[in-house]
Structures are given as C-alpha cells and as structure tokens.
Amino acid sequence: MDKIVRRVAHAQRSATRRSQRIARRQKIQTHYRAQETIKQANREIINNIKDAKKATKEDWELGPLAPQRDLGFNNHGVVMHPIRADWSNYGQIKYQNKVAEKRCAWAGGAKMLNLAPGDRVVIFEGHDKGKIDTIKTIQPETGSLTLENHNRAMVQSMLDQPPRSQAMPLSIDAVRLVYPLPDPVTGVTKDTIVRQLKAVPPRMESPNMTIERWRYGNKWDRIVPSLNRIIPWPETVAPEFEMTANDTARDQVEERTFYYSLTAPPMPGGVIDELRNKYSKFRTRHEDWYVAEKETETEAKARKGKTVRAMQTPLEEFNEMQRAIRDAAGEPELSEDMLAKIGQVMAKSKAEALERAGVSEVESKQ
C-alpha cells in the first residue's frame, strides 16, 4: 500500500504542476490578446480623430455641398471596427478597480451601485448633453452603461449588411439620476437631478420590497444623503425560464426512487463507481479486499527477499559473523594503561615541537 500512496501523491503533484503551467500559459495569452485589443481600440480612436479633422475641413471647403454625415450614407459617421462598442471585448481587458470606483463614486461605488436598468438619467457629457434617457444595461466592472435612445452610433456589420444603430458605452460619471421629488418651497413634485446616492440596509418602510426584488434585484436601499429620502428601485421582473425536453421538472427531482433500511448502505454500491473512477490514479480510498491483497503481495516480496538473503557464500557468512561479534562487543573502552600511553605520546610530541621552534618548556609556560 505504501507504493500506491506514493504513486497517488506523485500523480497529484504532477497534475498540480500541469494545471499551474496551463494557468500561466492562459494568463500570458489573455494578456497578449488584451494588449492587442487595446492597440486596435487606440488605433480606432486615432483614425476617428483623423476622419473628424478631415470631415471638418471638407465641410468648411464644400459648404452647402458637404455630405450629410449623420445619416450613415457612404459610410459617413460609421464605426468601421466596433471594438469599443462590443461588450464581449471588455472581458479581454482587465480594468483597474480604481477606475471603475471613480466612475461610480457618486452612485455608491462599483460594488454596491445604486443604479439599475430602468432608471431615468440625464446626460452630462457628449453631444447628447442635457437629454434624459433610460438605462438599458449596466457594467459595474467597467463603470459603464448604455442608454435606450441616446449615445448611439452607426456600426458597420460584420456580415456585409448595412450599418445599424448601436448603443455605445457611456461612463457612469457622465450621467446623474433623475427622479420626481417634491419641491421644498412650493411642494410641487417635479423631476429632480440627484447628484449623490448612498446604499443603506433595507428598512421596514422600504418601497416595492417584493419577492422578485429579493431574489433577482438589489437587497439594499438607496437614499439621497442630503434629504434622507429613499429612492425606490425600478420594478424587478422575475426571469421566465422556458421548459425544454432536456430539463428535469421539480416533481421528478423530488420523487423518491430509492428506499433503504438501517441494515443497507445509504446508496447502491455501483453509484460510487459511477461518481468516482475506481481505476483512477488519484484514488486514495480502497475496498478492504484490495488492501488485503496488496498487503499480501508486500509480505510475499519481503519473504522472497529474506530467502534470497539466506543464500550466502562462505565469505559473506564470515563477514556477517564478524559484524555480529562487533555488534555484541559494543563500543570499545580505554584502559588506564592506554590513557597513560596516550599522555606520554602527547608530551613527547609537544617537547619536539618546542625544540624545533627554539623555545624552552619554561619559556612556553611563561
């Protein structure tokens, strides 16, 4: 069994090193892909700036004959390489947490963002500045969002189709929440721009606290710190799951199909083999008969080794006899005569060394 234990430990170490190598290789490949994506995005921005400068010059020179670039005709104003407009590319780029936190600071931070799809916001930056729109999607990891109607661009399709209008990502710091609040002076309820939001634990008077919101929405409340007023979340709609032929219904899962007593194991014996490969090299638990068989094999090998050792030549028998005699005699002990002889030899050696150095014994003691 010791051999099996060592084999399992070696297999586990090998598998760990292999997985670490694969993880390092994937990390390096992801890094290079992200760098390439960033380069393409930067190149796209540079090309857009060049096109904008060229279009400005043409509009100045042509005057009334300048093309209508905002309609998408002849690829005017069309994003040819929609790298920045594609949400899937954001998974390849590792955004810094401080960037997302800075963008979401006014709304409570990226981890507990107090915005949700369906909120009405006002745009503070860009060509749609001052317009009110509804949030469509939110990406707290990048501190960005998309709107329903504004901040869109014509994007060239990858399937040789006409350009289509697509929502472009917008920084969360470029919008502010709009919510109807009563005026403190006149008492008239009107749309108010909320410039700061804070997350607080849910209260007893929390509005629209439903089961759907508790399961699929945000479980905290958001308030305006200056007014200490709770801003309700948009209505949370439970997702609808469509049943297919490969799905298992709940009544089938809860149906009891195996019965056992205290004298029977909690599950059939073959279930363990289905869940765990009984021939795996990583297996550490074995049946009693297998352990007994391996121990029998170990004992047989040990007996075989003793038999081989019992067949010796006369020289090997003599050497083994001498080793037994030395082991029985124990460590040697020095007698008084031996110690006296050793002292005489040491004194003679010291006198000869002093004589060669030209120093007398009396001078050496001084």
Side-chain angles (χ1 to χ4, degrees):
M1 288 301 297
D2 295 339
K3 181 179 179 181
I4 296 177
V5 172
R6 290 193 300 269
R7 183 185 65 186
V8 172
H10 176 71
Q12 291 177 349
R13 290 193 299 267
S14 301
T16 302
R17 289 194 297 267
R18 193 182 308 111
S19 61
Q20 291 176 353
R21 288 196 301 269
I22 295 174
R24 287 195 298 267
R25 190 180 304 112
Q26 291 179 351
K27 183 178 180 181
I28 294 173
Q29 293 176 356
T30 303
H31 173 74
Y32 282 115
R33 286 197 299 267
Q35 292 295 326
E36 187 64 25
T37 303
I38 293 174
K39 289 181 182 179
Q40 294 179 8
N42 292 334
R43 176 55 54 187
E44 179 185 347
I45 294 173
I46 294 173
N47 294 335
N48 291 343
I49 294 175
K50 291 182 179 179
D51 295 341
K53 291 181 179 180
K54 182 179 179 181
T56 303
K57 183 178 179 181
E58 290 180 356
D59 292 345
W60 176 263
E61 294 176 351
L62 297 178
L65 300 179
Q68 296 181 346
R69 307 179 188 274
D70 56 345
L71 299 181
F73 297 143
N74 298 326
N75 290 333
H76 288 304
V78 177
V79 179
M80 302 302 295
H81 304 284
I83 299 175
R84 292 177 295 151
D86 190 0
W87 287 110
S88 61
N89 288 314
Y90 288 140
Q92 303 178 5
I93 303 175
K94 184 178 180 181
Y95 277 76
Q96 296 182 358
N97 295 332
K98 61 181 180 181
V99 176
E101 288 292 338
K102 184 178 180 180
R103 293 179 175 180
C104 306
W106 72 271
K111 294 183 178 179
M112 300 185 68
L113 186 62
N114 294 308
L115 292 176
D119 282 329
R120 298 171 63 241
V121 293
V122 59
I123 305 174
F124 274 18
E125 299 178 2
H127 59 278
D128 291 327
K129 181 178 179 180
K131 297 181 181 179
I132 298 177
D133 203 347
T134 304
I135 297 177
K136 182 179 181 180
T137 60
I138 298 179
Q139 289 289 334
E141 299 82 6
T142 61
S144 306
L145 53 81
T146 58
L147 302 176
E148 293 284 352
N149 302 317
H150 298 93
N151 196 55
R152 305 179 69 88
M154 300 297 293
V155 179
Q156 179 66 40
S157 177
M158 305 298 293
L159 303 176
D160 296 334
Q161 296 180 357
R164 56 187 177 85
S165 177
Q166 181 175 337
M168 301 294 290
L170 180 65
S171 174
I172 295 179
D173 192 37
V175 299
R176 291 297 183 271
L177 181 66
V178 175
Y179 189 78
L181 295 174
D183 190 286
V185 179
T186 61
V188 178
T189 301
K190 59 181 180 179
D191 286 340
T192 306
I193 299 177
V194 180
R195 298 180 180 270
Q196 186 178 3
L197 290 171
K198 181 180 178 182
V200 296
R203 304 179 181 180
M204 296 298 296
E205 65 273 11
S206 299
N208 65 0
M209 178 57 77
T210 59
I211 298 178
E212 288 77 10
R213 176 193 159 187
W214 188 256
R215 290 191 62 183
Y216 306 105
N218 297 320
K219 301 178 178 55
W220 64 87
D221 287 339
R222 53 181 181 176
I223 65 171
V224 183
S226 58
L227 302 177
N228 195 23
R229 179 186 176 90
I230 298 177
I231 303 297
W233 292 97
E235 183 181 358
T236 304
V237 180
E240 297 182 0
F241 301 99
E242 184 178 355
M243 191 72 175
T244 62
N246 296 329
D247 295 332
T248 304
R250 182 171 181 177
D251 55 350
Q252 296 177 352
V253 175
E254 296 178 350
E255 182 182 1
R256 184 174 181 179
T257 58
F258 179 69
Y259 297 87
Y260 60 92
S261 61
L262 296 178
T263 59
M267 63 181 66
V271 175
I272 295 295
D273 294 336
E274 294 178 2
L275 300 177
R276 178 191 62 190
N277 183 11
K278 62 179 179 179
Y279 302 108
S280 174
K281 60 183 178 180
F282 301 103
R283 182 171 180 177
T284 57
R285 293 179 296 178
H286 306 276
E287 287 80 359
D288 296 336
W289 65 269
Y290 183 79
V291 175
E293 181 179 348
K294 290 301 177 181
E295 291 179 352
T296 303
E297 292 179 0
T298 304
E299 293 176 358
K301 291 181 180 179
R303 288 194 301 268
K304 183 178 180 181
K306 291 180 180 179
T307 304
V308 173
R309 287 196 300 271
M311 301 173 59
Q312 297 176 344
T313 63
L315 179 59
E316 291 175 348
E317 292 180 358
F318 176 76
N319 292 335
E320 186 175 358
M321 185 183 303
Q322 294 297 323
R323 285 194 297 270
I325 293 173
R326 288 195 298 269
D327 295 340
E331 295 293 334
E333 297 181 1
L334 297 176
S335 62
E336 296 293 338
D337 297 338
M338 291 176 143
L339 294 175
K341 186 66 176 177
I342 292 173
Q344 293 175 4
V345 174
M346 293 175 63
K348 184 180 178 180
S349 300
K350 182 177 181 182
E352 292 176 355
L354 293 174
E355 184 179 356
R356 286 194 300 268
V359 182
S360 63
E361 186 175 358
V362 176
E363 292 177 355
S364 64
K365 291 182 179 179
Q366 292 178 355

